Amino acid sequence: MVAVTAARRPFNPRSLIRPAVLLVLTAIVLYPLVWMLGTSFKAPEEVLNNVSVLPDDPTPANYPDGWTHFDIGFGRFFLNSFMVATLTVVANCVSCLLAAYAFARLRFRLRGMWFAVMIGTLLLPSHVLIVPQFVMFKSFGWVGGPWPYLPLIVPHLLATDAFFVFLMVQFMRGIPRELDDAAKIDGCSAYSVFRHVILPLSRPALVSTAIFSFIWTWNDFFRQLVYLSDLEKYTAPVALTLFIDSTGQSAVGPMFAMSVLSLAPVFLFFVAFQRLLVEGINTTGLKG
């Protein structure tokens, strides 16, 4: 009997370069989050004196202090953020899906030109539009009104997020037109084709739009700061700035504690739909 031994591959030090680089990049990305989490457990006198990640004397007191720091509980700000983010997600999904269906499937005059104009709006900085939008919404009575969230939500009902429209258009172009033709042979109208063919197959693109809309709206600070002036209407990102006032007095520990809690909804939302998000990114169409 002849014993056959498999030849061992020689050790290549270069094989460690890629994992080492990935570990370094991961540490760089995670370090601010870990530092913020550790700082949220530091005592007030330790926050500014101890720059290390781990606190010398951990204490959870910053969390109840931050939750009740204002006359209004911080939970109110979470509810405001959740309401604005949820309504924005619904508005973006509905309006962008309809606009994308028109560009991807319907034929109308100057369709290519209007699509190019929509793509061109991606090059326009959003901050350039703040002043004219504020003047327009002010004339509508939406700024400082009983429900000041209208300027933050209503524009999304008009498919103003060109990125999501473009995302859905590219996804729909990967759906075979033979499915549309088969539905039309069965007597379906353009609306029925959208309802029974395009909409069910566009779920991955819709989930991707919902996830990014929720994250971007939840983290939006500038637009919410511009349109919200009543403390009871503040969202979580705007309320976090109140921990540091103009008099120089600050509550850094409670601020970091509430910042950690503000990240929780975004993290949970991503974890809950990450499978569908990956599916939406990997899906390139259907094969017949």
Side-chain angles (χ1 to χ4, degrees), residues 148-149 152 223-230 233-235 238:
Y149 303 115
L152 302 174
R223 294 178 66 248
Q224 296 174 5
L225 178 66
V226 169
Y227 292 112
L228 302 178
S229 57
D230 188 3
K233 306 297 183 181
Y234 276 6
T235 55
V238 180

Side-chain angles (χ1 to χ4, degrees), residues 156-168:
H156 296 286
L157 292 171
L158 304 177
T160 55
D161 288 315
F163 171 77
F164 297 130
V165 178
F166 175 75
L167 176 69
M168 293 186 180

